[in-house]
């Protein structure tokens, strides 16, 4: 850490790189006063911040100590004062500070940047790979339907459904950390609402709703070392069981007879199935949006009369049953009544249970700041799911906590809102831990926040549209996986073929098959029928589709040992399973901007087909020798190539000379 000072102007360098710059003309910190207005409709939030005052702190008094630096910023206007302490410890730079005047509740802080930097991370981002040039709010919410204000789908969702269209930045999992192509990361701690503005060529600005600043910065020689350091601060993902990687997870619903028939159909056709995922084990509720679940986490014996026996018989075939749960309970259900009687729900300002319209039905929020409510909900998971024999589930939702509620702990609900996904993931983790089943249960979460990593074995991509749109279709899944990877969350799955279908949207056979190809070369291969199953092509819609899924499920099984080793590395070091190209090729500029392709570990390069009717794909091959697995043709990397990619032959390459090359004949032998 080195400070270069010229009167009140200074620059701070850490390991030779400039991170802070302040002058009277370009101050690095501002204090302000703001009044927020937050409106929510079914998990979609409209956020406005009226800035009443924003004051540049141009004057600074610098005090250097042996192991730290103190910066005392001030302005004569409204007695604006902010003290910052900078110290180096544990191989990181820590910047902490606070306002000395309680009048202020907004902070803007600038970090030095260079115009040629690329920025990645910020949790799960769908529209962009390189995040430079945009402003990103850190506030968990629905991802949005369409997510592009220039599209008809987004316009209709916004106008007809209370702003449900979303935008480029709306996401279930925002995290105030990013990694630069210049090999450093920045982590803004805490759960206050923040905005990370990456739009300026010369600085990155962090805007915080609060009066404190707490940031850590690490600079290292490689991306894996940076993620290891980040993982030390935010946690690492628990391991999934090995069976999770050994075949296809079949998402199905409709009752015991239907699910048993579908499973037998796929097994008899030769598919490798490792799990059956039945989200409607609790029963269903039809709405105008499509089929929804009855949010009472108890076995619906009318729909699944033989579920316990179904689970036992499936286990004999090495097939595991998975279910569904979220942190809400539907009004007047048995579990809702029990929770209300015990005072376990989040309250409104009048002291009553806070009821929210989740889309044609009301539900309550279990209060995870109440220890007794946490213990009760964990027991629901243990007694109603684990004891029944489920060995995994979708831990859905976590983004809806209202900002005008009252919580047991008294925490500010705006702060609690961003923390809620981590608290929700923790309930699932603690239930499995208490049951002695950590590492044997494959639950997966939709929402996330800083430190969700330590409580969730896997994130799923959410509710993509059943189309080829770039912002909210199959292409967005690649960006989601890679941004999570650069946020310390390296285990990932998605709904093959997407989930959200509006009246005019139907999942095509082509989309489902392209999703199947893509998922095969990802950590976990999982289907979903979607919110309008009858409108969607499904894995068993015809014999050709069944054969297609059979083939790729067997290829996925063939890759399971390779993927399992990647999973262990992720769990112990935060090195992700799906990696951006620059992770292994940091000296190649094109690796920082190549879109919709990734490395599965170090040996396999995957470039999914993400455009409708495409039969070829342009992609970037990094330097070295690569083998196209379907033709066995060898390519010399270091440039862009165009490869033929008919259905059933997605662009996948294996590094020549690697041990993984030995799998190619076995892959080609699978018909």
């Amino acid at each position: 850490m080195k400070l270069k000072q010229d009167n009140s102007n200074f620059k701070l360098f850490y390991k030779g790189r400039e991170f802070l710059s302040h002058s009277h003309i370009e101050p690095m910190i501002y204090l302000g006063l703001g009044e927020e207005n937050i409106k929510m409709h079914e998990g979609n939030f409209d956020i406005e911040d009226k800035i009443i005052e924003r004051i540049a702190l141009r004057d600074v008094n610098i005090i250097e100590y042996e192991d730290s630096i103190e910066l005392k910023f001030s302005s004569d206007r409204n007695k604006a004062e902010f003290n910052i302490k900078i110290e180096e410890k544990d191989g990181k730079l820590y910047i902490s500070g606070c306002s000395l005047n309680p009048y202020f509740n907004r902070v803007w802080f600038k970090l030095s940047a260079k115009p040629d930097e690329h920025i990645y991370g910020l949790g799960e981002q769908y529209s962009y790979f390189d995040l430079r040039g945009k402003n990103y709010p850190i506030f968990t919410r629905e991802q949005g339907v369409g997510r592009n204000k220039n599209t008809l789908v987004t316009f209709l969702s916004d106008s007809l459904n209370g702003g449900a269209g979303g935008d480029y930045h709306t996401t279930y999992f925002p995290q105030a950390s990013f990694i630069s192509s210049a090999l450093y990361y920045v982590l803004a701690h805490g759960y206050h609402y923040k905005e990370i503005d990456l739009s300026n060529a010369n600085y990155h600005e962090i805007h915080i709703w609060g009066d404190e600043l707490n940031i850590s910065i690490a600079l290292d020689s490689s991306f894996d070392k940076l993620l290891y350091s980040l993982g030390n601060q935010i946690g690492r993902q628990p391991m999934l069981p090995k069976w999770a990687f050994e075949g296809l997870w079949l998402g199905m619903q409709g009752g015991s007879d239907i699910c048993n028939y579908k499973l037998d159909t796929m097994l008899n056709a030769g598919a490798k199935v490792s799990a059956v995922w039945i989200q409607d084990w609790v029963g269903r509720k039809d709405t105008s949006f499509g089929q929804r679940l009855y949010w009472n986490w108890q076995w619906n014996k009318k729909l699944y009369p033989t579920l316990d026996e179904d689970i036992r018989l499936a286990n004999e075939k090495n097939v595991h049953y998975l279910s569904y749960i979220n942190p809400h309970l539907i009004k007047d259900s048995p579990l809702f009544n029990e929770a209300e009687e015990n005072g376990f729900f989040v309250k409104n300002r009048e002291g009553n249970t806070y009821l929210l319209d989740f889309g044609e039905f009301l539900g309550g929020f279990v209060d995870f700041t109440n220890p007794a409510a946490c213990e009760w909900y964990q027991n629901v998971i243990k007694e109603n799911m684990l004891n029944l024999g489920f060995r995994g589930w979708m831990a859905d939702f976590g983004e809806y906590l209202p900002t005008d509620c009252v919580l047991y702990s008294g925490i500010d609900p705006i702060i609690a809102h961003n923390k809620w996904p981590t608290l929700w993931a923790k309930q699932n983790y603690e239930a499995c831990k208490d049951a002695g089943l950590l590492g044997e249960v494959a639950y997966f979460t939709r929402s996330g926040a800083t430190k969700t990593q330590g409580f969730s074995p896997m994130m799923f991509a959410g509710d993509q549209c059943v189309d080829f749109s770039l912002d909210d279709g199959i292409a967005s899944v690649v960006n989601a996986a890679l941004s999570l990877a650069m946020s310390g969350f390296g285990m990932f799955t998605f709904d093959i073929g997407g989930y959200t279908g509006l009246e005019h949207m139907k999942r095509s056979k082509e989309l489902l098959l392209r999703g199947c190809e893509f998922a095969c070369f990802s950590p976990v291969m999982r289907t979903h029928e979607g919110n309008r199953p009858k409108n969607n092509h499904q894995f068993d819609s015809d014999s050709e589709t069944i054969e297609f899924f059979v083939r790729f499920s067997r290829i996925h099984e063939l890759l399971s040992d390779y993927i399992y080793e990647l999973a262990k590395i992720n769990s112990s070091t935060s090195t992700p399973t799906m990696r951006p190209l620059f992770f292994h090729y940091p000296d190649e500029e094109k690796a920082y901007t190549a879109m919709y392709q990734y490395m599965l570990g170090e040996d396999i390069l995957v470039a999914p087909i993400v455009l409708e009717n495409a039969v070829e794909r342009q992609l970037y091959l990094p330097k070295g020798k690569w083998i196209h697995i379907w033709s066995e043709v060898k390519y010399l990397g270091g440039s862009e190539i165009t490869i033929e990619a008919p259905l059933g032959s997605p662009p996948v390459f294996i590094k020549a000379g690697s041990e993984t090359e030995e799998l190619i004949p076995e892959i080609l032998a699978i018909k």
Side-chain angles (χ1 to χ4, degrees), residues 310-330:
D310 297 339
I311 292 173
R312 186 188 67 79
L313 293 174
N315 288 343
E316 293 178 357
K317 303 171 185 175
N318 202 29
V319 176
H320 305 78
Y321 259 71
L322 312 180
S323 61
Y324 174 101
I325 190 173
N326 68 48
H328 311 294
L329 293 166
I330 192 168

Side-chain angles (χ1 to χ4, degrees), residues 140 190-192 368-369 398 401 409 411-426 447-452:
T140 183
Y191 296 99
H192 289 79
F368 296 138
T369 71
L401 186 74
S409 68
I411 186 175
D412 182 340
I414 296 179
I415 297 173
H417 174 85
N418 268 350
K419 190 176 182 179
W420 214 250
T422 297
L423 295 179
W424 169 223
K426 186 178 181 181
S447 62
T450 307
K451 297 190 177 181
T452 299

Side-chain angles (χ1 to χ4, degrees), residues 251 262 466 496-498 505-514 516 527-530 532-549:
K262 287 176 176 286
V466 291
I496 294 176
M505 297 169 62
K506 297 182 179 181
R507 179 201 288 161
S508 68
K509 181 175 180 178
E510 178 193 6
L511 178 63
L512 185 69
L513 298 188
R514 287 304 192 188
C516 176
T527 71
H528 196 310
E529 291 189 348
R532 298 177 185 271
K534 293 179 181 179
N535 287 355
N536 294 331
H537 196 80
Q538 305 292 356
F539 64 79
D540 58 347
S541 288
D542 58 40
S543 60
E544 183 181 33
T545 304
I546 291 173
E547 291 174 5
F548 199 94
F549 271 85

Side-chain angles (χ1 to χ4, degrees), residues 76-310:
D76 291 336
R77 185 176 165 189
N78 260 349
K79 296 183 179 180
E81 296 178 286
F82 198 92
N83 286 359
I84 289 179
K85 181 180 181 181
I86 306 173
E87 55 186 336
E88 182 183 5
K89 59 182 179 181
D90 303 324
K92 302 176 188 68
L93 196 66
Y94 289 88
I95 303 173
S96 58
C98 64
S99 169
L100 303 187
N101 187 341
Y103 167 79
F104 297 102
N105 64 0
R106 299 289 187 269
V107 179
W108 292 263
F109 178 76
K110 294 179 181 178
L111 292 164
S112 301
K114 295 182 179 180
D116 61 349
E117 276 185 71
H118 304 286
I119 299 294
Y120 310 94
L122 293 184
E124 185 175 34
Q125 300 295 336
Y126 299 94
S127 292
Y128 296 99
F129 173 46
D130 181 356
L131 306 179
R132 197 73 190 274
K134 297 288 184 181
N135 182 41
Y136 290 87
I138 305 301
F139 192 81
T140 183
R141 62 184 102 179
E142 283 276 359
Q143 71 176 48
V145 180
R147 308 187 67 261
N148 185 325
K149 297 302 185 184
N150 295 317
T151 64
L152 178 61
V153 169
T154 305
F155 172 77
L156 292 175
S157 297
D158 278 340
S159 58
L160 300 179
N161 197 26
D167 209 339
Y168 72 89
H169 57 75
T170 49
T171 176
Y172 305 110
F173 189 161
Q175 179 173 291
S177 73
F178 60 84
I179 292 182
S180 168
S181 57
L183 287 170
Y184 69 86
Y185 76 72
V186 175
L187 170 62
H189 298 266
Y191 296 99
H192 289 79
Y193 176 92
K194 304 179 185 71
E195 291 182 7
I196 311 298
D197 189 348
L198 306 171
S199 62
N200 193 282
N202 299 312
Y203 62 81
H204 309 310
E205 185 173 75
I206 301 173
H207 171 38
I208 303 170
W209 287 9
D211 59 0
E212 295 183 349
L213 180 71
N214 188 2
I215 293 172
S216 55
I217 298 172
L219 182 68
D220 220 313
S221 59
S222 65
F223 292 105
D224 59 337
K225 290 180 179 179
L226 283 176
L227 283 171
Y228 183 81
S229 175
L230 181 62
N232 287 341
Q233 295 194 78
I234 63 178
R236 307 188 208 283
Q237 291 176 260
M239 274 294 292
L240 288 171
K242 191 172 188 302
W243 59 258
F245 312 107
E246 293 179 336
L248 178 64
W249 295 15
L250 290 175
M252 56 180 75
Q253 55 189 336
S256 292
D257 290 343
I258 291 175
C259 292
N260 288 333
Y261 175 79
K262 287 176 176 286
L263 174 59
D264 288 342
T265 296
M266 296 303 289
L267 291 177
N268 291 337
K272 176 57 182 176
V273 179
S274 57
V276 168
W277 174 48
I278 53 165
Q279 60 174 2
D280 65 342
W281 71 288
V282 293
R284 292 177 295 184
K285 185 176 182 62
D286 291 330
T287 71
S288 61
F289 182 69
Q291 288 187 349
R292 303 289 299 276
L293 306 180
Y294 186 70
W295 293 0
N296 177 66
W297 317 119
Q298 294 174 318
W299 172 14
N300 186 305
K301 295 184 179 181
K302 183 177 180 181
L303 190 60
Y304 286 93
T306 59
L307 181 57
D308 52 352
E309 183 67 6
D310 297 339

Side-chain angles (χ1 to χ4, degrees), residues 249 277 322-323 392-396 442-446 456-460 493 495 526:
W249 295 15
W277 174 48
L322 312 180
S323 61
W393 52 83
M394 175 184 282
D396 206 3
Y443 64 90
F444 48 109
T445 50
R446 181 174 83 167
S456 173
M458 184 165 61
M459 186 65 52
F460 77 98
T493 184
D495 298 343
R526 179 181 57 83

Side-chain angles (χ1 to χ4, degrees), residues 125 209 251 392 405 556 561 563:
Q125 300 295 336
W209 287 9
C405 68
H556 188 71
D561 288 342
I563 295 173

